Amino acid sequence: MWLKPEEVLLKNALKLWVTQKSSCYFVLQRRRGHGEGGGRLTGRLVGALDAVLDSSARVAPFRILLQVPGSQVYSPIACGELLNGSDIYWAIATGATLEEINQHWDWLEQNLLHTLSVFDNKDDIASFVKGKVKALIAEETSSRLAEQEEEPEKFREALVKFEARFNFPEAEKLVTYYSCCCWKGRVPRQGWLYLSINHLCFYSFFLGKELKLVIPWVDIQKLERTANVFLTDTIRITTQNKERDFSTFLNLDEVFKIMEQLADVTLRRLLDNEVFDLDPDLQEPSQITKRDLEARAQNEFFRAFFRLPRKERLHAVVDCSLWTPFSRCHTVGRMFTSDSYICFASREDGCCNVVLPLREVVSIEKMEDTSLLPNPIIVSIRSKMAFQFIELKDRENLVEGLLVRLKQVHANHPVHYDSSPSDDDDDDDMTSPVFYSTSMCSDKFGDLEMVSSQSSEEREKDKSPLPHPEPLTAVFQQSGSQSPDSRLSREQIKISLWNDHFVEYGRTVCMFRTEKIRKLVAMGIPESLRGRLWLLFSDAVTDLASHPGYYGNLVEQSLGRCCLVTEEIERDLHRSLPEHPAFQNETGIAALRRVLTAYAHRNPKIGYCQSMNILTSVLLLYAKEEEAFWLLVAVCERMLPDYFNHRVIGAQVDQSVFEELIREHLPELAEHMNDLSALASISLSWFLTLFLSIMPLESAVNVVDCFFYDGIKAIFQLGLAVLEANAEELCSSKDDGQALMILSRFLDHIKNEDSPGPPIGSHHAFFSDDQEPYPVTDIADLIRDSYEKFGNQSVEQIEHLRCKHRIRVLQGHEDTTKQNVLRVVIPEVSILPEDLDELYDLFKRAHMMSCYWEHPKPMALRHDPSRPYAEQYRIDARQFAHLFQLVSPWTCGVHTEILAERTFRLLDDNMDQLMEFKAFVSCLDVMYNGEMNEKIKLLYRLHIPPALTENDRDSQSPLKNPLLSTSRPLVLGKPNGDTIDYQKQLKQMIKDLAKEKDKTEKELPKMSQREFIQFCKTLYSMFHEDPEENELYQAIATVTTLLLQIGEVGQRSSSSGSCSQECGEELQASAPSPEQDSVFAETGKTPQDPRAFPEAGEGDWTVSLEHILASLLTEQSLVNFFEKPLNIKSKLENAKLNQYSLKALEMSHPPQPELKLNNL
């Protein structure tokens, strides 16, 4: 074990220790008298001394010491002491056995030995090693405590440090923490890694320097294990701009797994709206713990391995053994129990798997415990089979839980029987309706037929078309043109082999699934058994039996409705296997229409996607209409998750996985084709249509056979086999087009010699313009090669690769969204593209922070990838206020938040309380790069409706408060005592403005006095702390006086109905003298002349945008203020540093109810 480093000074002359290994910095030693075959006197004395000491005083037989070259000090790091004259050592580790101490030694060599060479100072080496060992001890202690109690003291201490160091809101839950090193160039920084629900954080205080890193999971673009110059194994975190390496973990495998799970969960929760709605666990991030992550990963593996519904929840995983009658022994493996299933998987991959739906279980019983059969239970099913499990730990609780769920399943889904007499007299006279009789060619399931969706009487009354009662191949039989007898004889041989297999391994969904059945599937399932075995392998048969009448009701509800989905379906109906006679008449077309429309009605999230028509057509050829529907459900919702949705994320993830498999298995081809994405785009249709669209139908159905038995693994390995068969030609191809031709021609010439029907051309037949015969490949040989050469990929490996590549695919979509938004915005604004890039990141982060720490938002506020690019991220008023405060040049102190509220109301055109990035940037562009008249126009609009409302919290009566009051007295200075003659300017401005009335732009409404007061307050707030503050205050006082006179002139003109020469006289009479122009000089007094501040209800005091702009132009200091260049880069840098702290401050001081925005 690791020891707290302590100095030990050895002065004894006796050689108590023998060095077994040494390096530049570490020494591994064995104590004399331990592990020696013979015995010298010294060894015997030391051994005797150790033997007589009590257990607390005994010295561990092995130890590791730290020694720094050129230093007199050594440090035992793995327990022990070293004798070497008067030298001092640090003990850092001890071991009771050689194996234990060697583990510590190996860890030091792999993680520390190369790292220490970068230090120049010997004291730094000692400090670094001692700090690392102490961190390892703390981590081991916390791990042991975590096993003993739910919230160990160490975790609470780490949580306190996490909160203090990073100042997150309370909603940011810490999941776990680790000691590690973060590499900054070639220098490691020892510290602590904190993994929370939304962030990866690192803290280090080393050699007097503090380092803090905060990386949101949604910013991580790549998470991988790699090696650098000094270490063999590190974890590399890649974001948009940086790469960070973390190393020297005590258990790197565990750390990487948890990182990957947290990144995957967070990205799916925040960036994948379609999955979010389907997975309730993603909607409660505050409940995520380290144990929950492990359970979630195990749950996902369980569902993927047995291809069960997404809603299925795993309850227990128990080691056990299952009696396998075909091998006449017990097979070691694990039992998985969930809501509706008992499953078994052998320890040896592919040896034996079993899926037992609880719906088909009759009883679960405990047997007598014996030495030969320890802790056995018997699970009996309806088809007169029983499964014996032994060596079950905690059998009592396991059986109790199973019986509770068994009772619940039977109550929710009672089994329906058909009382009609059976035509068969087989032994299986009590089989379940979901299973088949011994004669698999019969149309009945044992002595009981499948319960139909509707009774015959109901169907007579039903106006909707009848579901087709049998597979379409049974109606549209085709005879082969060549050697029909030989093909039929091959089919009969296959049927015989399958019937023999059913007798030994079972014929129901509960059959033993072994390597033997995989070989039978690879040969091709007989056509007469194909549809039924597809139902068994996919477990669609359980859904079919559990939902009597469901499909019929869907057909009735969906047919006759017209919408975009039904239009797409109608458009593709006649493109679905048009070469097959079944879809050259209305019978097949009508059945296809009903299945596709019913599924779109069942699952509107998916609705209808291209390629579903081809897949459904093939399902209808070999299964009854209702069975084809449930097969489609199994494929779309379980076997190909996330394939058939708006963004086909699942298919893109698998394409990315396929690229990695190509690099691993076909490195020469990967090296030749530098950009594998082009090859992946060719193979996309292979995955979406299961090769049905690019291979002759009679061959492609064999691929579908393998897919229903082995899942997506079959498509991966067949794709690799196709590429390997064409690798030589592909390596010599010059471009993507030639590669496409090579693969298309190869796939078009894959034949099925065993097919009883005639060959049916593929969609790619037009690519084949060969002048000479192209060699034909048999599908059975291709499938066999795929299993032999590439069949070693396990479900666990594929799921791990999917998790890894899902991060990249989702981030790829984010990059595409960003690029498209910026492409639209860049031409319309003057902000530099690199600054727009950073603004987009700030805007997106503002949205994300609300998702991190606030209660679940309405769907309108969530990231919705189905919306147009510009509308995918939107922020509300409070998020906008934060951004406004960080990046707007118009900061007005305490008035900033009020100005932000008005700006948001102005930009919220559709009144949905949300703002898009384009509107946000357009507003900023005016503030930073607009002409003076554009800036004044924006300010003007911010102080009239809809931006300024009656309930605006800064709106106050002008008679109760001095106009434009400030915190300091302002004196309007007049040089040399001269006064400014405003009268001439005012007359000329009124004449000029009258001439511009006929302009085409929509005229803005005039500003009332109340609104004008708010406008002036904003200007005064903007000038605060400006270098030319005093001049600006004097200038705005002058302009305000002028505008007050303009407003009064307009008020009197409107009351008289015309603007006569009297206006000038009235204006002169009302013009203030220099002594009177002190309205801004004393902030504590209100004006004596009530006409200067008439109440809003007094009448028609107004000024227009033109009045204000013309008045402002008279003061050069104001012109300079609005025309001076502004630098947005410093604001962006400051925003990136302070965005989190501002949000945390708001979360710690939530807004009061009265501060909420009012809806207009």
Side-chain angles (χ1 to χ4, degrees):
M1 66 179 179
W2 299 105
L3 293 180
K4 182 179 179 181
E6 54 184 345
E7 296 181 11
V8 180
L9 181 63
L10 303 177
K11 299 180 180 179
N12 300 322
L14 291 175
K15 300 291 185 180
L16 300 180
W17 296 89
V18 178
T19 300
Q20 291 199 321
K21 292 182 183 180
S22 65
S23 66
C24 297
Y25 303 98
F26 304 107
V27 179
L28 189 154
Q29 295 191 323
R30 172 180 55 80
R31 190 167 175 84
R32 290 187 183 277
H34 294 274
E36 294 179 343
R40 292 185 178 181
L41 179 60
T42 304
R44 290 184 178 183
L45 287 174
V46 175
L49 178 66
D50 291 344
V52 298
L53 292 175
D54 58 46
S55 59
S56 62
R58 286 179 185 171
V59 179
F62 299 97
R63 69 180 181 180
I64 296 176
L65 309 170
L66 168 66
Q67 69 172 24
V68 180
S71 172
Q72 292 292 314
V73 178
Y74 292 76
S75 172
I77 52 179
C79 189
E81 299 179 7
L82 179 63
L83 262 182
N84 190 8
S86 61
D87 290 347
I88 299 175
Y89 303 85
W90 283 301
I92 58 175
T94 60
T97 64
L98 184 61
E99 291 78 9
E100 181 184 358
I101 204 68
N102 277 335
Q103 287 181 357
H104 290 328
W105 181 267
D106 292 341
W107 190 93
L108 290 169
E109 282 192 327
Q110 294 172 11
N111 294 280
L112 288 187
L113 194 57
H114 300 291
T115 307
L116 299 180
S117 61
V118 304
F119 291 95
D120 296 326
N121 190 316
K122 299 178 177 60
D123 293 334
D124 291 347
I125 294 176
S127 299
F128 180 83
V129 174
K130 288 192 288 185
K132 186 64 198 173
V133 172
K134 289 177 182 177
L136 293 174
I137 294 170
E139 189 171 341
E140 282 185 332
T141 305
S142 66
S143 299
R144 289 194 296 269
L145 288 171
E147 294 173 358
Q148 297 171 5
E149 55 182 297
E150 195 68 23
E151 290 188 359
E153 188 65 29
K154 291 290 183 180
F155 186 85
R156 286 195 288 271
E157 291 178 10
L159 179 60
V160 170
K161 292 179 180 178
F162 170 72
E163 293 173 346
R165 288 167 176 171
F166 297 99
N167 195 32
F168 285 126
E170 291 183 7
E172 186 67 14
K173 181 176 179 181
L174 178 65
V175 176
T176 188
Y177 65 101
Y178 298 96
S179 166
C180 71
C181 286
C182 176
W183 288 78
K184 191 174 182 181
R186 297 178 59 184
V187 180
R189 298 291 299 266
Q190 173 63 35
W192 290 93
L193 182 72
Y194 298 92
L195 305 181
S196 66
I197 56 175
N198 298 303
H199 299 87
L200 178 151
C201 305
F202 177 80
Y203 179 85
S204 171
F205 187 83
F206 186 62
L207 302 179
K209 294 182 179 179
E210 186 178 58
L211 173 67
K212 289 184 183 181
L213 292 178
V214 177
I215 305 175
W217 293 115
V218 291
D219 287 355
I220 292 178
Q221 297 184 334
K222 190 185 297 183
L223 181 63
E224 58 188 342
R225 293 177 65 165
T226 183
N228 64 17
V229 179
F230 307 103
L231 296 177
T232 57
D233 209 358
T234 63
I235 296 176
R236 175 166 293 171
I237 307 292
T238 304
T239 58
Q240 184 178 4
N241 302 316
K242 290 185 179 179
E243 289 183 348
R244 297 282 187 183
D245 287 342
F246 298 89
S247 63
T248 62
F249 292 98
L250 189 63
N251 187 341
L252 189 136
D253 291 332
E254 175 192 305
V255 178
F256 184 74
K257 190 174 182 180
I258 290 181
M259 279 187 179
E260 203 169 46
Q261 291 168 358
L262 273 171
D264 181 57
V265 166
T266 307
L267 285 169
R268 294 168 84 170
R269 171 167 57 90
L270 297 175
L271 302 183
D272 195 354
N273 217 28
E274 293 154 316
V275 172
F276 177 88
D277 295 332
L278 298 173
D279 193 341
D281 294 338
L282 293 179
Q283 299 170 26
E284 287 295 334
S286 60
Q287 304 302 317
I288 293 176
T289 64
K290 182 178 176 181
R291 186 175 299 175
D292 290 336
L293 288 172
E294 294 169 353
R296 178 183 175 84
Q298 195 172 44
N299 210 348
E300 290 190 345
F301 165 75
F302 162 70
R303 290 196 299 255
F305 188 86
F306 296 103
R307 296 186 294 281
L308 300 178
R310 194 191 294 261
K311 64 181 180 180
E312 200 64 27
R313 189 165 53 94
L314 183 65
H315 288 277
V317 181
V318 185
D319 291 331
C320 67
S321 296
L322 171 66
W323 174 254
T324 48
F326 53 88
S327 61
R328 298 184 179 179
C329 67
H330 283 91
T331 300
V332 179
R334 291 188 298 173
M335 174 193 286
F336 301 80
T337 63
S338 65
D339 294 336
S340 307
Y341 291 86
I342 301 173
C343 302
F344 175 83
S346 59
R347 184 175 297 171
E348 182 183 348
D349 188 34
C351 176
C352 177
N353 297 330
V354 175
V355 177
L356 307 177
L358 287 181
R359 189 179 184 280
E360 304 312 316
V361 173
V362 175
S363 65
I364 302 173
E365 301 173 304
K366 291 179 289 186
M367 292 177 59
E368 183 181 354
D369 186 7
T370 66
S371 58
L372 293 177
L373 300 175
N375 295 328
I377 67 170
I378 296 291
V379 179
S380 302
I381 62 173
R382 300 184 189 280
S383 57
K384 295 184 176 179
M385 287 182 67
F387 296 85
Q388 182 190 78
F389 298 90
I390 64 170
E391 300 175 342
L392 290 159
K393 295 181 180 179
D394 197 15
R395 180 178 63 162
E396 301 295 328
N397 291 334
L398 178 68
V399 172
E400 183 180 352
L402 285 172
L403 289 174
V404 170
R405 291 193 292 276
L406 178 64
K407 183 177 180 181
Q408 185 176 358
V409 167
H410 282 210
N412 294 339
H413 301 288
V415 180
H416 299 271
Y417 295 91
D418 191 334
S419 59
S420 60
S422 173
D423 297 331
D424 299 314
D425 293 326
D426 296 314
D427 294 334
D428 297 345
D429 56 347
M430 290 298 292
T431 46
S432 161
V434 294
F435 303 125
Y436 305 102
S437 67
T438 304
S439 175
M440 292 295 288
C441 296
S442 167
D443 285 334
K444 297 187 177 182
F445 293 54
D447 291 340
L448 303 169
E449 291 185 340
M450 181 68 73
V451 178
S452 60
S453 297
Q454 294 168 293
S455 66
S456 56
E457 294 180 1
E458 289 174 333
R459 283 181 173 169
E460 288 177 5
K461 297 177 183 178
D462 189 6
K463 296 180 181 179
S464 63
L466 290 171
H468 203 263
E470 52 187 336
L472 294 178
T473 49
V475 180
F476 300 93
Q477 290 286 352
Q478 305 177 85
S479 58
S481 57
Q482 297 178 355
S483 307
D485 294 337
S486 63
R487 292 195 177 193
L488 288 174
S489 64
R490 292 177 189 173
E491 188 81 354
Q492 291 300 327
I493 292 172
K494 286 185 181 180
I495 293 174
S496 177
L497 290 173
W498 276 98
N499 281 329
D500 292 342
H501 185 275
F502 293 144
V503 171
E504 188 173 5
Y505 294 87
R507 66 179 64 258
T508 72
V509 72
C510 304
M511 68 173 67
F512 292 98
R513 307 182 189 204
T514 65
E515 192 62 34
K516 184 176 179 181
I517 197 172
R518 179 177 280 118
K519 292 178 180 178
L520 286 175
V521 171
M523 292 168 55
I525 298 174
E527 300 228 340
S528 57
L529 305 181
R530 178 165 278 137
R532 294 173 176 179
L533 286 174
W534 287 356
L535 283 167
L536 293 181
F537 294 153
S538 65
D539 196 37
V541 67
T542 301
D543 288 335
L544 175 64
S546 301
H547 298 84
Y550 180 82
Y551 175 68
N553 292 334
L554 278 182
V555 170
E556 183 178 356
Q557 295 167 18
S558 60
L559 282 182
R561 295 193 177 188
C562 185
C563 59
L564 182 60
V565 171
T566 56
E567 290 175 5
E568 292 178 358
I569 291 173
E570 288 296 327
R571 188 167 56 246
D572 288 346
L573 285 177
H574 295 278
R575 305 175 187 172
S576 310
L577 300 184
E579 67 279 0
H580 198 285
F583 298 99
Q584 294 171 357
N585 65 77
E586 188 55 31
T587 302
I589 295 295
L592 180 60
R593 179 187 294 112
R594 287 192 292 271
V595 173
L596 291 175
T597 309
Y599 185 78
H601 190 72
R602 163 192 165 85
N603 192 344
K605 286 284 182 184
I606 292 178
Y608 169 77
C609 294
Q610 286 189 347
S611 77
M612 287 174 65
N613 59 320
I614 298 173
L615 176 61
T616 308
S617 301
V618 175
L619 298 178
L620 284 167
L621 290 178
Y622 296 100
K624 299 176 183 178
E625 188 176 317
E626 187 173 9
E627 296 169 353
F629 169 80
W630 287 110
L631 283 170
L632 182 64
V633 170
V635 171
C636 294
E637 299 177 13
R638 298 207 298 266
M639 303 187 72
L640 294 178
D642 306 330
Y643 262 59
F644 304 96
N645 55 27
H646 176 68
R647 299 189 295 174
V648 291
I649 292 291
Q652 293 184 54
V653 169
D654 282 351
Q655 288 305 293
S656 189
V657 171
F658 190 50
E659 289 180 34
E660 181 164 334
L661 293 177
I662 293 172
R663 293 189 190 95
E664 179 183 345
H665 294 281
L666 303 172
E668 293 182 4
L669 178 61
E671 185 178 352
H672 172 75
M673 304 193 74
N674 296 325
D675 186 9
L676 284 177
S677 60
L679 195 58
S681 64
I682 296 173
S683 63
L684 180 61
S685 61
W686 303 357
F687 288 79
L688 283 172
T689 66
L690 308 179
F691 285 91
L692 289 169
S693 64
I694 42 84
M695 193 183 288
L697 179 61
E698 69 274 8
S699 303
V701 290
N702 283 30
V703 179
V704 180
D705 294 340
C706 298
F707 169 74
F708 275 115
Y709 184 76
D710 266 326
I712 196 63
K713 170 186 172 181
I715 308 301
F716 280 124
Q717 63 193 33
L718 187 66
L720 291 172
V722 169
L723 294 179
E724 189 207 35
N726 295 273
E728 187 174 344
E729 288 187 74
L730 289 172
C731 286
S732 61
S733 63
K734 298 179 181 179
D735 52 39
D736 298 340
Q738 188 176 355
L740 175 61
M741 291 285 290
I742 292 169
L743 292 173
S744 299
R745 185 171 56 178
F746 174 81
L747 291 166
D748 197 50
H749 286 81
I750 295 177
K751 304 300 179 186
N752 185 358
E753 300 297 334
D754 295 342
S755 176
I760 298 176
S762 74
H763 293 285
H764 281 238
F766 61 87
F767 281 115
S768 302
D769 53 354
D770 307 311
Q771 300 300 321
E772 57 186 32
Y774 188 84
V776 172
T777 304
D778 188 71
I779 185 62
D781 296 336
L782 187 63
I783 290 175
R784 184 177 61 253
D785 287 347
S786 75
Y787 274 103
E788 291 176 355
K789 297 177 180 178
F790 309 108
N792 58 348
Q793 294 291 333
S794 67
V795 172
E796 189 170 13
Q797 289 171 322
I798 290 175
E799 288 303 304
H800 169 72
L801 289 174
R802 280 177 161 177
C803 181
K804 170 184 174 181
H805 287 277
R806 189 181 295 111
I807 295 173
R808 301 181 186 181
V809 169
L810 288 173
Q811 291 292 14
H813 277 273
E814 290 301 296
D815 290 342
T816 301
T817 299
K818 180 177 180 178
Q819 291 166 9
N820 280 282
V821 171
L822 295 182
R823 188 179 297 119
V824 172
V825 172
I826 285 173
E828 299 186 11
V829 297
S830 301
I831 300 175
L832 295 176
E834 57 267 28
D835 294 335
L836 276 176
D837 189 281
E838 294 190 10
L839 276 172
Y840 182 89
D841 292 339
L842 289 169
F843 187 88
K844 177 181 173 182
R845 191 173 296 126
H847 167 91
M848 287 299 176
M849 286 193 297
S850 68
C851 298
Y852 294 159
W853 303 317
E854 297 178 13
H855 292 296
K857 296 280 187 178
M859 288 306 297
L861 286 181
R862 284 189 42 74
H863 168 58
D864 186 356
S866 64
R867 298 179 66 88
Y869 288 119
E871 300 177 14
Q872 290 189 14
Y873 287 109
R874 295 178 292 173
I875 58 175
D876 62 17
R878 187 152 295 281
Q879 296 158 19
F880 174 79
H882 291 157
L883 280 180
F884 188 91
Q885 182 176 344
L886 289 168
V887 299
S888 171
W890 292 354
T891 50
C892 314
V894 294
H895 194 70
T896 303
E897 188 172 354
I898 297 169
L899 189 62
E901 290 179 7
R902 294 172 185 168
T903 307
F904 184 85
R905 283 195 289 260
L906 176 65
L907 300 178
D908 185 18
D909 294 331
N910 56 3
M911 312 278 288
D912 64 352
Q913 301 299 311
L914 295 170
M915 182 188 296
E916 301 165 8
F917 178 70
K918 183 178 179 181
F920 170 70
V921 171
S922 300
C923 177
L924 277 184
D925 188 51
V926 173
M927 295 179 181
Y928 277 98
N929 303 310
E931 299 291 337
M932 178 178 175
N933 62 325
E934 295 175 326
K935 294 179 180 179
I936 299 303
K937 181 177 180 181
L938 176 58
L939 277 171
Y940 184 91
R941 295 180 65 197
L942 291 176
H943 295 85
I944 59 174
L948 188 71
T949 65
E950 289 293 332
N951 298 320
D952 193 293
R953 51 183 165 128
D954 198 42
S955 296
Q956 298 172 346
S957 170
L959 294 181
K960 296 179 182 177
N961 290 277
L963 181 61
L964 305 172
S965 61
T966 67
S967 58
R968 64 180 71 180
L970 298 171
V971 179
L972 184 62
K974 309 273 194 310
N976 302 322
D978 296 335
T979 60
I980 300 175
D981 185 10
Y982 301 129
Q983 286 81 357
K984 293 181 180 179
Q985 294 180 12
L986 187 57
K987 292 176 183 178
Q988 185 61 40
M989 285 164 46
I990 293 175
K991 290 180 182 179
D992 294 340
L993 293 173
K995 297 176 182 178
E996 298 179 2
K997 290 291 184 182
D998 56 346
K999 61 184 180 178
T1000 56
E1001 184 181 355
K1002 183 180 178 182
E1003 187 176 356
L1004 291 172
K1006 291 186 177 182
M1007 183 179 281
S1008 68
Q1009 188 188 46
R1010 183 183 73 89
E1011 295 160 357
F1012 175 68
I1013 292 171
Q1014 298 303 315
F1015 177 83
C1016 294
K1017 281 187 177 182
T1018 300
L1019 288 178
Y1020 263 75
S1021 301
M1022 288 171 62
F1023 300 154
H1024 184 55
E1025 294 186 355
D1026 189 275
E1028 308 295 330
E1029 179 180 5
N1030 200 48
E1031 291 182 21
L1032 290 169
Y1033 283 147
Q1034 293 180 16
I1036 194 61
T1038 302
V1039 170
T1040 306
T1041 303
L1042 182 61
L1043 288 169
L1044 287 171
Q1045 295 172 1
I1046 293 174
E1048 290 185 1
V1049 170
Q1051 182 180 16
R1052 293 169 185 172
S1053 299
S1054 61
S1055 62
S1056 63
S1058 64
C1059 184
S1060 62
Q1061 184 66 25
E1062 298 174 3
C1063 292
E1065 299 172 2
E1066 293 178 7
L1067 178 59
Q1068 181 149 0
S1070 62
S1073 66
E1075 292 77 12
Q1076 292 173 321
D1077 196 9
S1078 59
V1079 65
F1080 303 101
E1082 298 184 36
T1083 60
K1085 300 179 182 179
T1086 56
Q1088 300 300 317
D1089 186 355
R1091 293 180 301 170
F1093 302 97
E1095 299 211 31
E1098 225 176 47
D1100 307 297
W1101 190 101
T1102 58
V1103 291
S1104 67
L1105 171 63
E1106 292 78 11
H1107 292 146
I1108 293 176
L1109 184 58
S1111 301
L1112 291 172
L1113 288 171
T1114 63
E1115 294 292 333
Q1116 188 60 41
S1117 59
L1118 294 177
V1119 173
N1120 294 340
F1121 177 83
F1122 284 105
E1123 290 189 346
K1124 66 182 178 182
L1126 299 171
N1127 183 15
I1128 194 175
K1129 292 186 183 297
S1130 59
K1131 283 280 189 179
L1132 292 176
E1133 289 299 321
N1134 179 68
K1136 286 190 289 185
L1137 294 174
N1138 296 314
Q1139 191 173 20
Y1140 269 93
S1141 57
L1142 187 64
K1143 182 67 177 179
L1145 183 65
E1146 185 224 350
M1147 295 292 291
S1148 60
H1149 299 88
Q1152 299 301 319
E1154 61 266 20
L1155 298 187
K1156 292 183 179 178
L1157 295 181
N1158 295 305
N1159 295 330
L1160 299 180

